[in-house]
Every structure is written in C-alpha cells, then in structure tokens.
Amino acid sequence: MSCMWLISSVIIMIAFKLSFIHALAIGACVAPTDPVLANAILKGNFAETHVPLRLRNVLTAESGANDGLGYPFLFFALYIMRLGGGKAIGTWVYSTWLYQVALSVVIGVVAGYVGRKALRYAETAGWVDKESFLSSSITLALLLVGVCTIIGTDDILCCFVAGNSFTWDDWFRVETEDTGLQETVNGLLSMSFFMYFGAVIPWDKYTSDNMLEPWRIFVVVLLIM
C-alpha cells in the first residue's frame, strides 16, 4: 500500500501539476483497495468456484484493513502542509498512529471479544430472539462508529478489527450463513452510499477548471489502475 500511495501521488503530481505534498494527500485517498469492488471476486458462485479460499481471505483482510490504514498516509501530508518539519512528524506519530490507529485496534479487539462472548452466552441461555441475534453485528458496528466518532479515532478500522474479533471462532458466521442478512445489508448500504456520492459530486467543476479536464482524469485513472 505504501508503494501504491507513492506511485499514485507521483502520477497525480505530474498530471495535475501539483506540489508533491498536495499530491500525497490525494494519493492517500486512492491508494486503498475498495472492499466494495473487491466483493466481485470474493463472494458468489464465480468466486467460490474459481478463487481459492485462502486468496479470498487475504483479499478480504487487505481491502478491509487498508481503508482504515489509509489514515496515516492522508494525515502525514495534511500535517506537513499545516505544521511543517519536526512538529508535523511528532503530531503524526502520536495523534495518527497511536491515537487514531492503535487505540482503534484496541477498542475493536475488546468490543468484538466482549460482544462475541456476551452474544454466545445470551444465545445459550435463551435470552435473545432470532431477529436480535441476526442484527447484533450491525448494532455493534453502529455502536463503534458512534463511539469512535465521539472520541475522534478511526471508526472504519475499529469496525474491521471488531468484526474479526467478533467472528474469530467462526461461530457467528456459521449461525447466520443461511440468512443472507449480511450480504443484503451490505448491498443496500453500498448502493445508497454510491448513489449519494454520485449525486453530490460537483460535476461542473470537472469541465470549468482546466486542471480537471476529462482527458487528464482518464489518463490518471488508467495509469493508477
């Protein structure tokens, strides 16, 4: 991912005639592999038939983790622009790596472990109905997004780590694999987000600004891919 970040930044710097620091900020946004697009070769009959399970697991881990780990790359460029020099590096280390990344990982591990143990105990004791059982993972994700947003840590990375901790022994996945709930919710949320994102993009800026000419964008996308 570090190589993807640097190479993408160089391409963006040359194509749009930006400074390298500004290009690093944009490159940090395009370097992570999109987990939504990766689903095309991770799930479904084609993936299960042609893509080995070990490779699918590696792709899932990489695409899930690097969205959250894109934070340090982005904030490295932002801190250099705002603070400059040694102060930027110090702030980047303790604010981004320790507070936003490391703390998010710790919260995710603890929350996922506690949630898994509590749900398993409640299911064994007969304290939870089927509907609540199926929605427990979504509830946990929403809780963590709220908590991480309040304290200012990386919510995407936290949810990814919590999901791994929550399904560590594969018990929850086995219990819910026939329901299709996770795939349905994921599809609805992904579709809604991309529709909203496409609607709010200021498309007029892509033609009125010479630096955002369509041919430049096309060349950059082609080279990055």
Side-chain angles (χ1 to χ4, degrees), residues 47-182:
E48 293 175 359
T49 303
H50 299 285
V51 183
L53 177 61
R54 182 174 179 274
L55 180 57
R56 280 187 278 141
N57 288 338
V58 170
L59 288 170
T60 300
E62 192 266 348
S63 62
N66 71 11
D67 262 9
L69 291 176
Y71 258 64
F73 296 147
L74 174 62
F75 279 91
F76 175 81
L78 295 181
Y79 285 139
I80 292 292
M81 282 188 278
R82 291 175 56 190
L83 303 175
K87 186 178 180 181
I89 301 299
T91 305
W92 180 63
V93 170
Y94 75 76
S95 178
T96 303
W97 279 108
L98 297 181
Y99 189 75
Q100 291 184 327
V101 175
L103 182 59
S104 296
V105 171
V106 172
I107 293 174
V109 170
V110 173
Y113 177 82
V114 172
R116 169 163 52 90
K117 292 295 184 180
L119 181 63
R120 190 156 195 169
Y121 182 81
E123 198 270 340
T124 303
W127 293 349
V128 60
D129 57 23
K130 190 67 174 177
E131 291 77 12
S132 299
F133 181 86
L134 293 174
S135 62
S136 57
S137 60
I138 301 171
T139 305
L140 178 63
L142 293 175
L143 171 66
L144 291 175
V145 168
V147 170
C148 291
T149 301
I150 290 172
I151 65 177
T153 58
D154 191 341
D155 52 348
I156 298 177
L157 181 61
C158 182
C159 287
F160 173 73
V161 174
N164 281 278
S165 180
F166 187 71
T167 60
W168 189 257
D169 57 3
D170 225 22
W171 168 74
F172 184 79
R173 185 193 65 80
V174 172
E175 292 290 326
T176 59
E177 64 180 351
D178 295 329
T179 63
L181 176 68
Q182 306 292 335

